[in-house]
Amino acid sequence: MKRLWIIVFCLISSLSFSQNWELDFEHAKKQAKEEQKQILLVFSGSDWCAPCIKLDQQIWQTEAFQNHANDNLVLLRADFPKRKNNRLPKEQELKNTKLAEQYNTEGYFPLVVLMNANGKVIHKLGYKNLSPEEYITAIYED
């Protein structure tokens, strides 16, 4: 019985720090307006871009970032995997391409775009070797 409670506690703890990455821009804008938050759009190459993978591991997955995001941001991911077995559904590929045409015309990976709830760009940055707290600050700097 004790083991069961430990497993339940671990599951609940892991869920409390999980992130909800949106995949649809219109839904992210609606949510940002309703919750009075900004949108953080992340362009990544999850299976080929080393800095993208580092950003995910060193920043996005940390408790500090997740706590900040839960209170302040709607997270939106536009992923561009290259491996055949990681391909996204065609509809999602089209959504991501449309976002890239509007917000990542240079084709940088990773690219982090902070925007208001209407989709107006506030700030852009890429990978930086910073602590989670320093990266959170960098997201808002001009």
Side-chain angles (χ1 to χ4, degrees):
M1 187 66 159
K2 184 176 179 181
R3 178 181 270 184
L4 177 64
W5 283 111
I6 291 171
I7 292 170
V8 169
F9 176 76
C10 290
L11 286 172
I12 291 171
S13 296
S14 69
L15 290 175
S16 67
F17 291 113
S18 66
Q19 292 175 314
N20 185 21
W21 287 91
E22 292 295 329
L23 301 175
D24 182 85
F25 187 43
E26 294 305 317
H27 186 265
K29 288 195 298 187
K30 181 181 176 188
Q31 182 181 350
K33 288 175 186 175
E34 289 173 359
E35 297 177 11
Q36 298 181 354
K37 294 180 179 180
Q38 294 175 319
I39 299 169
L40 192 71
L41 168 58
V42 177
F43 290 95
S44 66
S46 62
D47 66 0
W48 60 270
C49 170
C52 300
I53 295 166
K54 284 182 182 180
L55 194 58
D56 183 55
Q57 294 171 347
Q58 296 173 355
I59 306 298
W60 309 145
Q61 292 183 28
T62 66
E63 184 177 344
F65 178 79
Q66 291 175 12
N67 288 336
H68 176 78
N70 285 337
D71 294 338
N72 301 286
L73 301 168
V74 172
L75 303 175
L76 175 64
R77 186 181 306 268
D79 192 21
F80 292 84
K82 288 189 177 179
R83 293 188 185 129
K84 188 175 183 177
N85 59 333
N86 294 334
R87 277 210 183 122
L88 302 173
K90 199 67 167 169
E91 180 182 345
Q92 190 62 48
E93 284 182 8
L94 293 172
K95 287 180 182 181
N96 293 353
T97 298
K98 185 176 177 183
L99 281 171
E101 288 170 353
Q102 185 171 0
Y103 294 104
N104 191 3
T105 56
E106 301 87 8
Y108 293 135
F109 289 90
L111 180 65
V112 179
V113 182
L114 179 68
M115 59 182 76
N116 68 18
N118 294 316
K120 182 181 179 208
V121 174
I122 299 168
H123 184 63
K124 292 183 179 184
L125 73 155
Y127 174 79
K128 293 184 176 196
N129 189 17
L130 301 171
S131 71
E133 294 78 11
E134 291 169 325
Y135 199 88
I136 291 166
T137 300
I139 289 169
Y140 298 96
E141 292 177 345
D142 284 331

